[in-house]
Amino acid sequence: MPTRSSNRTDSNNHDSREYWNKRAARFTRVATSAYESWLLELLALEEADTVLDMGCATGTLAVPLAKRGHRVHACDFAQAMLTILDERTAQERLPISSHLLAWDDDWEAAGLGENSVDVAFASRSLVADGVQAHVTKLDRAARSKAAVVVSASALPSCDPRLLNYLGRAARRPRIVRDVERALSAMGRVPFSATTRTFRPMRFPSFDEARADLRRLAGPEPFTAREQRLFDAYAADHVARVPRSETDDASSEYWTLDYRLPVTWTFIGWRTDGDQWGEVR
């Protein structure tokens, strides 16, 4: 998840602390999906490696890494996320230290300065602003290697199909290029790989599903025409899944009637002068 500076408080902004604090209660996932398996394989950690997980959320990756025996420094700017992680850490007695930390905060003061861990990574939490400075922080903290996973497609911050319906243009992200340029300036040699996931769209009410869909149209206010189009689009494409059709048959939920694919790019690099090795 994004970890912007702490002064962002807009609850409708995907980069804001308030937005992620509100999502914390429903965010916890077990790390058994294809994405987590893909990323852990690419990281290819050594047995005794200590790890910095920047944008850890409720422990999607920190928990399985800790269960493998790694000491994990789990960082996030949303206290609600860390509260849930701390509960999981205590219950399972895991070697995880949580840090309320944003990209723009003082990592040195948090004990995560130069060569503080073996491996530092940010999974889907690096934002477009300040890429050079943030990549430098990961590089500085890591004794052996560092990595980021960033979006190579317009999603998850927007829905191209909805934008096209509204007559708006979907801007493709430039963050992959920006990370590669930052590494080139630092003299680092990147290793890249890609995968695709689907944005989760499952909500307990129509209003929450509609609100999330509105965020996917971008932060700019709607014109009167766009509002009418959006209302019609939401009515047509936000669907209720009845209790009898849910996987646990216990409650209904609301979702989009189409899937939103996201292409992710893993970019890893060595910080110790070696080359990124073959994936084990």
Side-chain angles (χ1 to χ4, degrees), residues 63-266:
V63 168
L65 285 171
K67 287 181 176 179
R68 294 184 180 195
H70 298 286
R71 161 63 64 179
V72 182
H73 293 275
C75 309
D76 207 284
F77 75 163
Q79 182 60 62
M81 294 283 188
L82 295 180
T83 297
I84 294 172
L85 174 58
D86 288 342
E87 292 172 353
R88 300 177 72 186
T89 298
Q91 289 171 359
E92 302 186 51
R93 298 183 179 180
L94 299 172
I96 299 174
S97 300
S98 67
H99 305 264
L100 184 63
L101 193 68
W103 283 108
D104 297 334
D105 289 343
D106 186 346
W107 289 23
E108 293 277 356
L112 296 172
E114 185 175 6
N115 294 329
S116 55
V117 296
D118 294 303
V119 178
F121 73 90
S123 169
R124 304 189 289 197
S125 65
L126 183 68
V127 293
D129 297 340
V131 167
Q132 178 74 61
H134 300 158
V135 167
T136 299
K137 281 189 170 182
L138 287 176
D139 184 271
R140 179 177 172 80
R143 283 187 288 268
S144 62
K145 56 186 175 181
V148 297
V149 179
V150 294
S151 175
S153 58
L155 285 165
S157 59
C158 68
D159 177 353
R161 177 171 170 174
L162 169 60
L163 291 174
N164 182 63
Y165 182 83
L166 297 174
R168 293 185 172 190
R171 298 178 181 176
R172 295 191 64 84
R174 299 180 298 178
I175 194 165
V176 172
R177 182 205 64 185
D178 292 345
V179 171
E180 291 174 344
R181 286 183 174 178
L183 293 175
S184 178
M186 296 161 58
R188 301 303 192 198
V189 179
F191 167 86
S192 299
T194 61
T195 193
R196 189 172 74 159
T197 65
F198 292 91
R199 190 179 191 276
M201 292 292 292
R202 180 168 176 162
F203 302 94
S205 70
F206 174 83
D207 287 343
E208 289 195 44
R210 185 180 184 278
D212 199 75
L213 186 63
R214 172 61 185 90
R215 282 188 286 269
L216 294 178
E220 297 83 6
F222 281 158
T223 64
R225 174 183 174 276
E226 287 174 333
Q227 186 66 61
R228 290 193 299 272
L229 288 172
F230 175 80
D231 290 342
Y233 190 93
D236 287 344
H237 293 290
V238 176
R240 181 175 68 91
V241 179
R243 179 176 302 179
S244 61
E245 298 178 16
T246 61
D247 49 10
D248 59 8
S250 62
S251 61
E252 66 180 20
Y253 64 89
W254 296 80
T255 186
L256 277 182
D257 63 2
Y258 58 90
R259 297 207 293 177
L260 298 172
V262 187
T263 300
W264 299 102
T265 296
F266 171 96

Side-chain angles (χ1 to χ4, degrees), residues 269-280:
W269 67 96
R270 301 287 307 200
T271 63
D272 56 8
D274 292 338
Q275 297 297 311
W276 195 274
E278 295 293 325
V279 178
R280 292 200 295 263

